[in-house]
Amino acid sequence: ELPVEDSYWDNTGTVVETLYDHGPNLRTHKWHDWNNEGQLSYHVRLENVGDQPQTGILLTDTYPLSTTFNGNWGHNYWDWMNLSTPPGVLVWELPQMGPGEGTDIWFSVDLDAGYEPFRWYTNTLEASLDPSDSNPADNTYVDVAFSGGEVDNVGIDVYGNHISVDAPFDPITITT
């Protein structure tokens, strides 16, 4: 006998996946996290969503200007993986990836000037392109990290007589 169902709302889900023509198809995805105020951490996902094995894969990451690769990286790939580090770029070489297989890579970069407000850090990831790739558009991924504004929080006590601000020591004008 099945247990009594107490929440029907969690019994459904939707996944949308575009199907492409027969052939090779590598797909990239990437996201970032702020690792304290002086570092960005990136997570890369590479997948072979095509129906043919891929060999000699190059995955190139152009990390943001005003950052420096700090040597911190890892992966969960089941085979060897070579990393080259020319200035401003990380290049991973993977020997093979079968249909339906994928791997994750993670790494960190240091912000050269530490935390600075109003900064955008653009990072571009690109997987090598087979000339017959059925969807070349998903071989490249651009991630933009925004450092945030100079004011993190402004609190006004309407019934009292004070204003609290979490901001740098520069003058701030608050208009109400």
Side-chain angles (χ1 to χ4, degrees):
E1 183 175 305
L2 295 174
V4 176
E5 178 68 55
D6 62 352
S7 56
Y8 297 101
W9 58 268
D10 65 352
N11 291 348
T12 63
T14 302
V15 175
V16 176
E17 184 72 40
T18 303
L19 300 178
Y20 294 95
D21 248 349
H22 165 75
N25 187 5
L26 291 177
R27 175 171 61 189
T28 60
H29 186 71
K30 173 179 216 168
W31 58 96
H32 70 272
D33 290 305
W34 290 96
N35 191 6
N36 298 320
E37 290 189 347
Q39 204 174 69
L40 273 168
S41 295
Y42 290 98
H43 189 106
V44 172
R45 179 78 184 152
L46 175 66
E47 301 169 319
N48 182 354
V49 293
D51 63 358
Q52 296 178 3
Q54 296 288 291
T55 58
I57 300 166
L58 293 178
L59 188 61
T60 304
D61 188 279
T62 304
Y63 53 87
L65 297 175
S66 303
T67 65
T68 303
F69 176 57
N70 59 23
N72 182 18
W73 76 284
H75 65 89
N76 63 2
Y77 189 60
W78 58 92
D79 203 346
W80 65 268
M81 180 186 296
N82 185 43
L83 172 64
S84 305
T85 58
V89 179
L90 304 175
V91 182
W92 289 276
E93 180 184 354
L94 293 78
Q96 62 183 341
M97 187 170 287
E101 295 178 342
T103 191
D104 298 284
I105 302 171
W106 49 91
F107 68 94
S108 298
V109 295
D110 295 328
L111 308 180
D112 292 345
Y115 172 77
E116 294 179 294
F118 294 111
R119 288 290 312 267
W120 285 264
Y121 296 92
T122 301
N123 183 296
T124 303
L125 176 69
E126 188 172 6
S128 51
L129 184 62
D130 184 301
S132 60
D133 192 301
S134 59
N135 183 26
D138 64 4
N139 286 50
T140 303
Y141 194 89
V142 176
D143 178 87
V144 179
F146 178 60
S147 65
E150 63 186 28
V151 177
D152 292 327
N153 183 350
V154 175
I156 300 174
D157 183 354
V158 178
Y159 298 107
N161 58 3
H162 72 278
I163 295 175
S164 63
V165 176
D166 181 11
F169 294 106
D170 298 330
I172 295 176
T173 302
I174 300 173
T175 305
T176 59

